[in-house]
Amino acid sequence: MRSSWSSTLSRFPSDTILVWLLRGCGLLTGAITVLIVGFLIWESSPAFRDVGVQRFASDSSWHPSAGPTKGQFNLVPMIAATSLATAGAVLLAAPLGIGSAVFAHFYAPRRLRRAYGKMIELLAGIPSVVYGLWGLVVLVPLISRWHPPGTSLLSAIIILTIMILPTIALLVGAAFDNLPSEYLRASAALGLSRGRTVTSVVFPAVRSGLFTAVLLGTGRAIGETMAVLMVAGNVVQNPTRIFQPVRTITANIALEMAYAMDGHRSALFVSGLLLMAMVIVLAGFAEWVSRGRIHG
């Protein structure tokens, strides 16, 4: 098989050039990823050497500008805020995104489905700073009337939910589009209702696509910066209530990198390395799920 493929390429030089060009693009993409990870490790190494790993979880607060000996480097409040905001957004956006995709593909009339799809694509393309501006001007005052100060973990969860919902909906819709039509015809032949077809035929068939959509939406929520920075309040504290102002890891980097020096700067790169690790784990898990390794 390999020899026949090679002989075929040899007869078409343009295909050979295309194959090597694509290989080069793949190698370049991989090299960029390795360089980014290597850069983060290199910039984080002074903090690991002078501060140590333990202090990022055991120090009393986050005040790194005082230096490695007198500074405080506790990242736990920001890790907790990032995790809670992401988890809350995913718990809300996943059922909404999946439900909207089900409506568009199996219940909406054709014209409405087309308009609905364009609207979801538009939501997915809106810049995050626009979401943040809307949240700051509209959402935060609404929450403040209910429970001051308004800038809070709840605001971050709602903004992230709105931002990742179209991503999940589009990816789930793509999974539905790839579903073989024989599945639906067989379901119709058995006399199954539309709802029973969705729950008993469609969902099991595209299970890996559903998991992948949720995981990639989670990755976007983890890495979101500007919108969360504008509505979360940016107070470094362990969140114990949903109405408390919080600061996420990404917001912390954006706020402090402009003036950070020496150990402070290196500690921020530790935060970036932590985020990179979280995204890599999510991407690996999404790839594992997309290969159909999870079975019901």
Side-chain angles (χ1 to χ4, degrees):
M1 182 68 182
R2 186 178 180 85
S3 59
S4 62
W5 175 252
S6 301
S7 61
T8 302
L9 287 179
S10 64
R11 293 198 299 268
F12 299 98
S14 60
D15 288 345
T16 303
I17 295 173
L18 178 61
V19 168
W20 281 105
L21 180 62
L22 294 176
R23 287 177 178 175
C25 292
L27 290 173
L28 180 61
T29 302
I32 291 173
T33 303
V34 172
L35 286 174
I36 291 174
V37 174
F39 174 74
L40 290 173
I41 294 173
W42 175 264
E43 292 290 344
S44 302
S45 58
F48 287 130
R49 182 183 63 247
D50 300 332
V51 178
V53 177
Q54 183 177 2
R55 289 183 57 189
F56 287 105
S58 62
D59 278 0
S60 59
S61 62
W62 171 263
H63 295 289
S65 57
T69 57
K70 297 182 179 180
Q72 303 293 321
F73 295 86
N74 191 359
L75 288 174
V76 172
M78 289 173 283
I79 295 173
T82 302
S83 302
L84 289 174
T86 300
V90 172
L91 287 175
L92 293 175
L96 290 174
I98 294 173
S100 65
V102 170
F103 168 76
H105 280 73
F106 301 105
Y107 289 92
R110 180 172 299 180
R111 292 183 179 178
L112 180 59
R113 174 186 176 182
R114 190 173 303 171
Y116 190 81
K118 295 297 181 182
M119 182 182 68
I120 294 296
E121 292 176 1
L122 177 63
L123 286 175
I126 294 176
S128 61
V129 68
V130 176
Y131 282 109
L133 184 62
W134 174 84
L136 185 63
V137 174
V138 178
L139 179 62
V140 168
L142 287 176
I143 296 177
S144 179
R145 293 178 184 176
W146 179 20
H147 196 293
T151 51
S152 59
L153 177 61
L154 178 61
S155 301
I157 289 174
I158 294 175
I159 284 293
L160 288 177
T161 299
I162 297 172
M163 294 182 67
I164 68 175
L165 190 153
T167 301
I168 295 175
L170 289 174
L171 292 173
V172 173
F176 289 159
D177 289 335
N178 292 328
L179 181 69
S181 59
E182 290 82 1
Y183 285 51
L184 301 179
R185 288 200 294 265
S187 177
L190 291 172
L192 297 181
S193 65
R194 190 176 304 182
R196 186 65 181 273
T197 299
V198 171
T199 57
S200 301
V201 177
V202 175
F203 281 171
V206 300
R207 181 171 54 245
S208 63
L210 299 181
F211 276 101
T212 301
V214 173
L215 289 172
L216 293 180
T218 304
R220 183 181 181 187
I222 290 174
E224 180 51 46
T225 304
M226 287 305 301
V228 176
L229 185 151
M230 297 172 72
V231 302
N234 302 311
V235 177
V236 181
Q237 59 181 337
N238 281 306
T240 58
R241 292 179 292 110
I242 200 169
F243 296 104
Q244 279 185 317
V246 295
R247 181 184 295 187
T248 62
I249 297 176
T250 52
N252 188 57
I253 295 173
L255 286 169
E256 299 187 4
M257 183 57 75
Y259 63 86
M261 300 290 291
D262 302 327
H264 184 186
R265 182 175 182 274
S266 183
L268 293 178
F269 275 100
V270 172
S271 304
L273 185 62
L274 177 62
L275 285 173
M276 190 71 178
M278 296 168 68
V279 172
I280 289 175
V281 170
L282 277 174
F285 190 47
E287 176 65 19
W288 182 71
V289 170
S290 67
R291 292 177 180 270
R293 302 292 177 84
I294 290 182
H295 304 282

